[in-house]
Amino acid sequence: MAYEVTVDGITISSNEELSEKECRAYIHYIQSKNHNRNIERINLDFEGDDVNLGYYLEPQGFEKIRRITGYLVGTVDRFNDAKRAEERDRVKHM
């Protein structure tokens, strides 16, 4: 990749020089396919009339959901003392 430019905080690498308008068009296209995700980096490889488009999205966090004492929960912070004791004393299978 010979050219590298940063547009809106996104690094775009390419084997051809691109205008800012073209860069924004690629960013818009990727964002339309990946709603609510942030783009980290874009790689463009031009081969004649074809373009190989590669991009990396920022990692997305998730909340672990477990079934504890008959309830689907992420944390036990809302459990009373008895439910917390039941969770603490259960046999954990790994």
Side-chain angles (χ1 to χ4, degrees), residues 28-92:
H28 177 72
Y29 173 77
I30 295 168
Q31 286 176 335
S32 71
K33 301 292 182 191
N34 299 282
H35 300 287
N36 301 322
R37 298 286 307 270
N38 293 326
I39 303 168
E40 194 171 271
R41 182 176 187 81
I42 300 174
N43 294 330
L44 299 169
D45 184 23
F46 294 93
E47 295 177 1
D49 291 338
D50 297 326
V51 178
N52 293 320
L53 173 64
Y55 57 90
Y56 301 91
L57 301 172
E58 290 181 359
Q60 194 171 27
F62 65 94
E63 181 182 352
K64 180 179 173 182
I65 301 289
R66 303 177 292 166
R67 184 177 183 92
I68 300 175
T69 66
Y71 298 95
L72 293 174
V73 297
T75 64
V76 295
D77 60 338
R78 295 184 56 157
F79 280 10
N80 63 22
D81 291 340
K83 281 290 183 195
R84 286 179 197 229
E86 186 178 337
E87 190 275 332
R88 183 183 63 244
D89 297 340
R90 72 185 176 130
V91 175
K92 294 180 172 68

